[in-house]
Amino acid sequence: MVDDKKIAMTPAVEISYLKPEEQALLVETMESEQATPSLSQAQRMKKMSQKGELNEDTMLSVMSEQKKPEVERIVFTSDTLRKYFPRSYTPKKMEETIINLLEGWMKKRQRSQEW
């Protein structure tokens, strides 16, 4: 499943500690829930398995939890930004400048909407 990009590597490592029958049950649960376990979910199932508490009900309970949405990221390469900044600017200084410019732009837009 990792090779087919159906599950991330770190949760897969945790799942590898489950007993073969628990892994088979997890595959069924993943199919029925149309979800793959997060790292946190996989770690909790591993602990439950070690304590002898992992069964169909506890697995379904863990797998049906609402996951936090992934944080969207916007990434700029330094090549894209470098032409706008002096050579002496560090990435942190570039980020601070961009945020300050965006704050100024937002305030300007808010003022123009008030008129």
Side-chain angles (χ1 to χ4, degrees):
M1 292 180 117
V2 171
D3 291 343
D4 294 336
K5 309 270 188 264
K6 293 181 180 176
I7 191 167
M9 176 62 94
T10 48
V13 170
E14 298 298 318
I15 291 166
S16 72
Y17 288 93
L18 301 181
K19 298 173 189 145
E21 59 273 15
E22 292 169 336
Q23 290 182 23
L25 182 59
L26 179 57
V27 170
E28 288 177 29
T29 306
M30 287 167 50
E31 289 172 1
S32 71
E33 291 299 303
Q34 291 293 295
T36 58
S38 67
L39 176 58
S40 169
Q41 289 169 321
Q43 289 170 334
R44 281 184 281 139
M45 286 189 279
K46 176 183 168 185
K47 285 180 185 174
M48 288 176 170
S49 174
Q50 290 169 340
K51 293 178 183 177
E53 298 171 352
L54 189 62
N55 58 42
E56 191 171 352
D57 291 334
T58 56
M59 188 178 290
L60 186 58
S61 174
V62 169
M63 287 297 296
S64 62
E65 293 170 350
Q66 186 78 22
K67 291 184 194 174
K68 293 179 189 172
E70 288 188 26
V71 176
E72 287 189 53
R73 300 188 84 171
I74 298 173
V75 178
F76 295 101
T77 64
S78 54
D79 290 342
T80 303
L81 298 176
R82 186 51 60 194
K83 63 184 175 187
Y84 300 106
F85 296 94
R87 289 180 188 252
S88 62
Y89 273 45
T90 63
K92 183 68 180 162
K93 181 70 175 164
M94 288 194 288
E95 180 182 346
E96 289 170 2
T97 303
I98 291 168
I99 295 301
N100 287 334
L101 290 166
L102 288 171
E103 286 173 358
W105 178 63
M106 183 178 69
K107 287 176 185 173
K108 182 178 176 183
R109 288 183 54 225
Q110 288 171 342
R111 281 193 304 268
S112 68
Q113 290 174 359
E114 290 172 3
W115 295 99

